[in-house]
Amino acid sequence: DQLLGIRLAKREIEDVNAFFTPRDRGVKREVATVFSAPTERLTQCGGPGNVRLFDSAVSAIEYAHYPQDVLFEPQFTNSLERISRYKVVVLAGVSATYPGSWKTLKKWVENGGRLVVLRESASLDEYGDRNPEAPDLQPGENKLGNGTIAYYPEKLGSMAMAEKIIAAATSAGVR
């Protein structure tokens, strides 16, 4: 009976494997959306942030037909290695970041990256205090070195969000 249960569980896992196992299909991903655990935690405690914007941004990028990755914040904190493969990175509703994240993001933008910041400006640290690394973003396009940080603090619908991301991707040369 125990072996039968294991075989049945294995069969069930294989049935949904295609949905959860990443595989390389040879499609280059030049756009990424950041998932921020500090924002998730702060929002759950009643702090600022809009975790639903992450879902909206992912949907907007899919609507624009750009292959994308989800970039978890620890994958690029204090290292350009992972983030440097993207031309456009989207922070949607991110209010808080880990130490070192903004330092890496700014360096990536200076090297020519295009950062799209939607709604929240990611100006807090993981504890909800002011993050000294966060830039003072002005609405619109903020040049930084060879790149740009496009900050849109206003509430945008999915279509307007898609338009902002498409504009950033087009100017960055994403096809």
Side-chain angles (χ1 to χ4, degrees), residues 3 9 15 24-26 37 43 47 60 66 81 84 86 99 101 115 132 143 145 157 163 171:
L3 291 177
D15 287 344
D24 183 14
R25 297 182 345 228
T43 303
Y66 292 124
E81 183 180 339
S84 63
Y86 305 105
S101 293
L115 181 65
K143 287 294 287 174
E163 289 172 5
S171 69

Side-chain angles (χ1 to χ4, degrees), residues 13-111:
I13 291 169
E14 288 173 350
D15 287 344
V16 296
N17 190 35
F19 296 111
F20 299 104
T21 304
R23 60 196 177 283
D24 183 14
R25 297 182 345 228
V27 178
K28 188 174 183 181
R29 290 168 174 77
E30 298 175 306
V31 178
T33 305
V34 172
F35 180 86
S36 171
T39 296
E40 290 282 326
R41 285 195 302 272
L42 280 178
T43 303
Q44 295 299 322
C45 296
N50 188 336
V51 293
R52 292 176 192 242
L53 276 179
F54 171 83
D55 297 334
S56 296
V58 168
S59 295
I61 295 167
E62 283 184 16
Y63 171 78
H65 300 285
Y66 292 124
Q68 66 179 311
D69 278 339
V70 171
L71 191 58
F72 293 92
E73 204 174 328
Q75 292 176 310
F76 68 87
T77 301
N78 297 317
S79 172
L80 285 171
E81 183 180 339
R82 176 71 192 265
I83 199 171
S84 63
R85 64 178 78 162
Y86 305 105
K87 292 182 178 180
V88 177
V89 171
V90 178
L91 294 179
V94 174
S95 59
T97 59
Y98 287 122
S101 293
W102 263 117
K103 184 178 176 183
T104 303
L105 286 168
K106 288 190 284 189
K107 185 69 175 164
W108 173 77
V109 170
E110 287 172 357
N111 291 341

